Amino acid sequence: MLCLGLLAGPPTLVLAQDTPPAEPPAANSALSAPLFYQLLLGELNVSSGEPGTGYSLLLDAARKQNDPDLFRRAVEIALQARSGDAALAAARAWSQAIPVSPEADRFELEILLALNRVGETGPVLRRLLDQAPAASRNDAINGIPRIYARVADKAAALQVVREALAPAIKQGAHAAAAWTTIGAMEMGNNQPTQALTSARNGHAADQSSPFPALLALDLMERGQTAAESVVRGQLKASPPVAGSPAPVALGYARILFDLQRHAEARSLLENLTRIQPEAMEPWLLLAALQVQDKRLPAATQSLQTYMGLARQSGDERAARGLTQAYLLMAQIAEQQKDFQAASAWLDRIENADDVMAAQMRRASLLAHQGQMDRARALLRNHPERRPEDARLKFVAEAQLLRDFKQWEQAYQLYGEAVIRFPKDSDLIYDQAMMAEKLNRIDDMERLFRQVIELKPDHHHAYNALGYSLADRGLRLAEARQLIEKAVSMAPDDAYIQDSLGWVEFRDGNIARALQILHAAFEKRPDAEIAAHLGEVLWVSGERDKALKIWREGMLLASDNETLQSTLQRLRVKP
């Protein structure tokens, strides 16, 4: 009865429930029977181990139909058969048949680079740039260095890119990006001076553009201090604003931190966190700076802000940043002698890649509580999940011993590591540094010369050996030669300049020593350089200036051994 009642309902309801939806009109394929047979035959040849025949059939069909899918398939067949020339021919046929086809040009460019035919890529690169929409052309220009990153002939790549970007350099909207890309290619070709000129040219074309400034930051990291003016100019022309990324300001703050220019870095980061309180990275970097400056309450507040933002974000980068935050919180607790809280922060670290860093901090906690044997056992018993973990464990344990000034044990441990890794120049170098601490001059020199033999361009070894001899007044002529060799390899390294100034002082060349040390301290304010510059000023009678420099050094690192021993030896309290 119920079913009958429903069937007797209004006809419109029955139609609405029971009538199937109308079928869309059939779309007939343009595929003819002969073409279908040709494509089928081509694919059968490919699947039966005859890719050459299949490639020819597919490419012929693509030409007849001007079909990008068929051209793409022909290219794929050639690439799968490892026939670069055939793939290139198909890509070029595609580009000629469909001239405005960025995909065809991208295939052609990639194949030419894979075939190491860099010189032929210029016209293709120009076409790709011309086809890029004006709104996204700068992104295309900025991506060029990545395209050519694996090219062996860097000079040829630079020439091609420079020629391809010649029109863009003359266009106001794209000039800054073009000069930046040329500069990046020059850096890849080991031409930092030319790269600096390109950064300046890009900045002159558009002072507000971040691109030349980001290139300048890379140059600063490589010791090109003159690039700083480009960074400062961009920040003046386009200061950070709310709601907009500030990669230049953040990158500059990181470099200032690394250069120990803490006051400038702190000012920049405090401004960033005030303008963009929702941005995570500035809070974490500010906290690291505050920890180093022993401003622990402020660091705790910055870290709490960062952790709150990172948990809301939930992305992978935030997860890695949380690990750093937990390590910093543990470090703060350790400095406050709250070892239980420090351990609790370390227990939060879950990322497998950061477990070793957590173990190092746990070992430091144990050592600070007088349990050095347990601390060393903790590191030694850490499982080796990757091939490099064995070396990392040696380095971590040795660093722990160095932090607690246990030079003899560190020297012996590096000896064990060198037996395990006899060709590792960095481990031998570190053992030499421990020999220097122990005043084992013969061992020190033997080890440094072993480093130089293994790695003739290890400028730190030349510098360390030369400085150690000069500091003891030994073989000054030879010490000068070693340091000058290091200078020739790393002319912008402030620490090597410091060594050169020190050997000049030891050799009685006071005026020359002052000139070099002033320049080194201006380039990189550092407590050890301050110790040397202050002593030369003191000896030359400029005692007020010496006291001023020493005070600056104390602000940078009051516990620096060289600075402390200098002040004690000269009986000075700045």
Side-chain angles (χ1 to χ4, degrees):
M1 295 292 291
L2 183 59
C3 291
L4 291 172
L6 284 173
L7 289 172
T12 53
L13 291 177
V14 175
L15 289 172
Q17 291 178 354
D18 298 342
T19 302
E23 293 288 342
N28 292 324
S29 170
L31 188 64
S32 65
L35 178 59
F36 174 78
Y37 179 75
Q38 184 174 353
L39 298 180
L40 179 61
L41 188 60
E43 292 294 350
L44 287 173
N45 274 279
V46 172
S47 62
S48 63
E50 295 291 340
T53 304
Y55 162 83
S56 298
L57 290 166
L58 267 294
L59 182 56
D60 178 68
R63 285 180 168 135
K64 289 176 181 176
Q65 298 296 312
N66 274 2
D67 188 321
D69 291 332
L70 294 179
F71 277 116
R72 186 185 304 107
R73 180 59 182 147
V75 172
E76 290 171 353
I77 291 170
L79 291 174
Q80 289 167 6
R82 300 180 182 274
S83 179
D85 289 333
L88 180 60
R92 284 178 167 169
W94 182 1
S95 181
Q96 291 165 6
I98 310 174
V100 185
S101 177
E103 187 178 9
D105 289 330
R106 282 194 291 270
F107 266 116
E108 184 177 350
L109 180 59
E110 291 171 7
I111 293 166
L112 283 170
L113 291 176
L115 294 173
N116 201 28
R117 292 160 64 172
V118 181
E120 299 177 40
T121 61
V124 193
L125 182 59
R126 284 195 294 273
R127 288 201 303 271
L128 281 167
L129 292 174
D130 290 341
Q131 293 165 11
S136 60
R137 192 166 298 157
N138 281 343
D139 292 336
I141 292 171
N142 288 329
I144 290 173
R146 290 192 296 273
I147 295 173
Y148 288 85
R150 296 184 181 180
V151 170
D153 191 342
K154 303 295 185 184
L158 172 59
Q159 182 63 27
V160 165
V161 172
R162 186 181 279 127
E163 292 174 359
L165 291 177
I169 286 172
K170 301 173 184 177
Q171 300 168 352
H174 307 303
W179 278 116
T180 301
T181 287
I182 290 171
M185 299 294 292
E186 287 166 336
M187 284 178 63
N189 198 36
N190 196 28
Q191 296 178 345
T193 304
Q194 292 88 330
L196 176 57
T197 300
S198 294
R200 287 171 171 163
N201 289 339
H203 180 63
D206 182 357
Q207 294 188 3
S208 65
S209 172
F211 306 133
L214 292 171
L215 172 61
L217 288 172
D218 287 340
L219 287 164
M220 286 184 68
E221 288 185 332
R222 302 189 186 198
Q224 293 284 320
T225 55
E228 186 171 5
S229 61
V230 174
V231 179
R232 297 177 72 89
Q234 193 276 336
L235 290 174
K236 182 178 180 181
S238 181
V241 295
S244 180
V248 175
L250 187 59
Y252 187 36
R254 286 196 182 98
I255 289 177
L256 291 172
F257 187 8
D258 292 341
L259 292 173
Q260 297 185 29
R261 291 162 58 179
H262 288 184
E264 295 170 80
R266 183 167 54 251
S267 174
L268 191 55
L269 289 167
E270 287 174 347
N271 183 52
L272 271 178
T273 54
R274 183 173 60 255
I275 295 172
Q276 301 179 357
E278 76 289 348
M280 294 185 297
E281 291 87 349
W283 287 110
L284 184 58
L285 187 56
L286 177 60
L289 174 61
Q290 290 165 333
V291 169
Q292 189 145 324
D293 288 345
K294 301 189 185 308
R295 299 173 63 205
L296 302 186
T300 300
Q301 185 175 353
S302 295
L303 286 169
Q304 288 172 343
T305 303
Y306 172 81
M307 288 186 289
L309 292 169
R311 292 188 188 106
Q312 292 174 15
S313 170
D315 61 21
E316 184 178 349
R317 185 177 59 178
R320 294 302 303 271
L322 279 172
T323 295
Q324 296 179 46
Y326 296 153
L327 287 168
L328 285 170
M329 289 297 290
Q331 187 175 343
I332 291 170
E334 182 180 347
Q335 291 183 21
Q336 294 172 333
K337 308 298 183 185
D338 190 347
F339 301 121
Q340 184 176 357
S343 182
W345 282 111
L346 294 174
D347 288 341
R348 296 191 182 196
I349 295 174
E350 298 177 354
N351 192 320
D353 292 337
D354 298 305
V355 169
M356 192 63 196
Q359 290 293 76
M360 290 173 64
R361 181 57 59 190
R362 286 191 179 93
S364 178
L365 292 176
L366 290 170
H368 273 109
Q369 297 174 78
Q371 302 180 57
M372 178 60 80
D373 289 342
R374 281 189 62 194
R376 296 182 68 178
L378 178 69
L379 294 173
R380 290 208 166 193
N381 295 331
H382 187 73
E384 297 176 12
R385 297 184 176 89
R386 303 167 301 179
E388 62 267 27
D389 283 349
R391 183 188 184 280
L392 185 59
K393 285 165 58 175
F394 275 119
V395 172
E397 186 179 352
Q399 187 59 54
L400 178 69
L401 293 167
R402 293 173 72 163
D403 289 344
F404 285 82
K405 295 181 172 52
Q406 296 190 14
W407 314 125
E408 177 64 38
Q409 292 92 328
Y411 176 81
Q412 298 297 335
L413 184 61
Y414 279 124
E416 292 180 33
V418 169
I419 292 173
R420 179 85 175 268
F421 304 99
K423 300 297 184 182
D424 192 317
S425 58
D426 290 335
L427 290 174
I428 301 170
Y429 176 87
D430 286 335
Q431 188 183 18
M433 294 296 291
M434 292 302 96
E436 194 274 340
K437 289 286 187 184
L438 294 166
N439 206 31
R440 298 179 183 174
I441 306 304
D442 291 342
D443 286 344
M444 176 199 73
E445 183 169 356
R446 172 181 57 80
L447 290 165
F448 277 137
R449 294 197 182 280
Q450 188 177 344
V451 173
I452 292 169
E453 183 179 353
L454 282 171
K455 194 174 181 182
D457 61 346
H458 199 302
H459 55 272
H460 292 301
Y462 287 99
N463 176 59
L465 178 55
Y467 173 81
S468 297
L469 293 174
D471 196 44
R472 292 169 172 79
L474 303 173
R475 293 150 44 200
L476 292 179
E478 184 180 355
R480 181 193 300 277
Q481 288 179 348
L482 288 163
I483 296 169
E484 287 177 345
K485 178 73 170 178
V487 169
S488 70
M489 295 177 179
D492 294 314
D493 190 309
Y495 293 119
I496 297 176
Q497 293 290 333
D498 171 62
S499 298
L500 184 61
W502 197 238
V503 76
E504 292 286 3
F505 172 63
R506 289 297 196 191
D507 213 17
N509 303 319
I510 304 297
R512 177 65 175 152
L514 279 175
Q515 180 185 3
I516 295 171
L517 290 169
H518 268 301
F521 189 70
E522 183 177 350
K523 183 178 295 182
R524 188 177 186 98
D526 177 84
E528 185 149 342
I529 301 175
H532 293 149
L533 175 57
E535 181 164 350
V536 178
L537 287 167
W538 185 267
V539 169
S540 62
E542 299 185 70
R543 300 201 165 185
D544 288 341
K545 291 183 179 179
L547 291 171
K548 179 177 180 296
I549 292 294
W550 281 329
R551 290 191 197 103
E552 289 185 39
M554 293 289 287
L555 289 173
L556 291 167
S558 60
D559 57 350
N560 179 269
E561 291 181 25
T562 302
L563 180 56
Q564 288 289 349
S565 65
T566 299
L567 296 175
Q568 291 172 8
R569 177 165 43 81
L570 297 176
R571 298 180 181 178
V572 175
K573 292 184 178 180

